[in-house]
Amino acid sequence: MILVTGATGAVGREVAGRLADAGPVRILARRPERLTVRGTGVEVVQGAYGDRAALDRALRGVDAVFLVTNDPAEPDDERVAAAAAAAGVRHLVKLSMMAVEEPDAEDFITRRQRENEQAVRDSGVPWTFVRPRTFMSNTLSWAPGIRSAGVVRALYGDAPVACVDPRDVAAVAVAALTGTGHEGRAYAVSGPEAITAREQTAQLSRVLGRPLRFEELGVDAARTALMAKYPLPVAEAFLQSAERQRTGAKASVVPTVQELTGRPARPFRDWSAEHAEAFAPE
């Protein structure tokens, strides 16, 4: 039995679906009604990371866990790792981020993920870290502006990032969860190319068959927009991350998807074509 957390998110949803296609899977969910993974082999335990009784129920009889951090300000990973150790779990695969291995990344979210990884190591449960670059699905935040005005507004339009399809991240995680020899390994995961926001806008324009305009946001405007949605430390972390991208720190491409799944990582043009409906006018 494998326990999946974060199954309503971009990667966790895909992990749970792939595992459910192959056999039984258990899901820990705060809001089970939001789950899209269904089936006779899917068992759902309702509960949050802070509910130790729910964690113990979810972990009973589990061999491996896929762990997604919910709130960077909460000790979620420590809670799950401690409960997993007590339950005798034999493998914990944690979704982390590529920036944790980059010394110049010192924003709040990256620091917390470094601490989370250490908490997993300290738990004594054999671990694997999956460290993706920025998700292609983050561009879904552009959808309202594209639908209403044909405009993409973002920081640093010429800053490259080797963004990755969440499905490829999930495929790497499933390979680690179901394969052998992955304990004690950390896998950086990127897409097949570094691409800028202007280039992504141009590709979306071709997919949608309509002109789109890119407007570069200033830092102050971006901060205002971020603070409308996130706490200050998280908003500032995103701004610091964008600054690192501007300097080229996120442009490196790694072959992990090919190595662990046997197929190349999907490029943004494929992801955008498959998600065109999300950007189409209402």
Side-chain angles (χ1 to χ4, degrees):
M1 176 65 74
I2 296 175
L3 174 67
V4 176
T5 69
T8 59
V11 175
R13 178 173 59 246
E14 294 290 337
V15 169
R18 288 169 183 264
L19 292 173
D21 287 342
V25 63
R26 187 178 295 159
I27 296 173
L28 175 70
R30 290 176 301 157
R31 298 177 59 184
E33 70 276 7
R34 296 179 57 195
L35 292 171
T36 58
V37 180
R38 308 287 181 187
T40 56
V42 178
E43 179 185 347
V44 179
V45 174
Q46 183 173 7
Y49 292 143
D51 183 344
R52 180 57 186 261
L55 272 179
D56 290 341
R57 288 195 303 273
L59 288 162
R60 190 172 298 123
V62 162
D63 298 306
V65 175
F66 179 64
L67 173 59
V68 179
T69 305
N70 175 52
D71 184 345
E74 290 290 324
D76 293 340
D77 292 56
E78 293 93 325
R79 290 163 172 163
V80 175
V89 170
R90 293 186 291 217
H91 191 194
L92 193 156
V93 176
K94 171 180 164 48
L95 182 66
S96 186
M97 57 194 298
M98 200 185 291
V100 299
E101 57 188 346
E102 297 167 351
D104 62 333
E106 286 296 333
D107 61 87
F108 168 71
I109 295 175
T110 303
R111 293 198 310 271
R112 283 294 296 136
Q113 285 290 30
R114 289 193 185 108
E115 293 166 359
N116 289 336
E117 287 192 2
Q118 190 58 49
V120 171
R121 290 188 186 95
D122 292 345
S123 73
V125 179
W127 52 265
T128 302
F129 300 139
V130 177
R131 296 170 171 170
R133 189 56 86 194
T134 305
F135 297 156
M136 292 176 183
S137 55
N138 288 1
T139 59
L140 290 170
S141 65
W142 299 346
I146 290 175
R147 286 197 299 261
S148 63
V151 176
V152 170
R153 298 180 178 90
L155 273 170
Y156 307 136
D158 299 311
V161 58
C163 55
V164 61
D165 190 321
R167 294 172 297 182
D168 288 339
V169 181
V172 169
V174 169
L177 286 162
T178 60
T180 59
H182 299 289
E183 292 84 353
R185 302 288 300 276
Y187 294 115
V189 188
S190 79
E193 60 187 349
I195 186 170
T196 69
R198 290 188 196 276
E199 292 168 338
Q200 289 174 311
T201 301
Q203 290 195 13
L204 285 168
S205 178
R206 288 191 289 271
V207 164
L208 296 172
R210 57 184 290 225
L212 298 179
R213 186 174 77 257
F214 181 83
E215 291 184 1
E216 186 160 296
L217 281 178
V219 174
D220 290 342
R223 179 179 286 106
T224 298
L226 287 167
M227 288 184 62
K229 296 189 291 185
Y230 302 105
L232 178 60
V234 174
E236 289 294 339
F238 287 143
L239 291 173
Q240 292 171 42
S241 178
E243 179 63 25
R244 291 184 63 250
Q245 183 173 325
R246 186 184 67 80
T247 65
K250 298 185 179 184
S252 61
V253 171
V254 293
T256 307
V257 174
Q258 177 75 54
E259 292 172 350
L260 267 69
T261 72
R263 59 163 182 79
R266 296 177 178 91
F268 182 76
R269 63 178 177 273
D270 290 356
W271 182 92
S272 59
E274 294 169 15
H275 294 82
E277 186 176 341
F279 300 94
E282 296 178 355

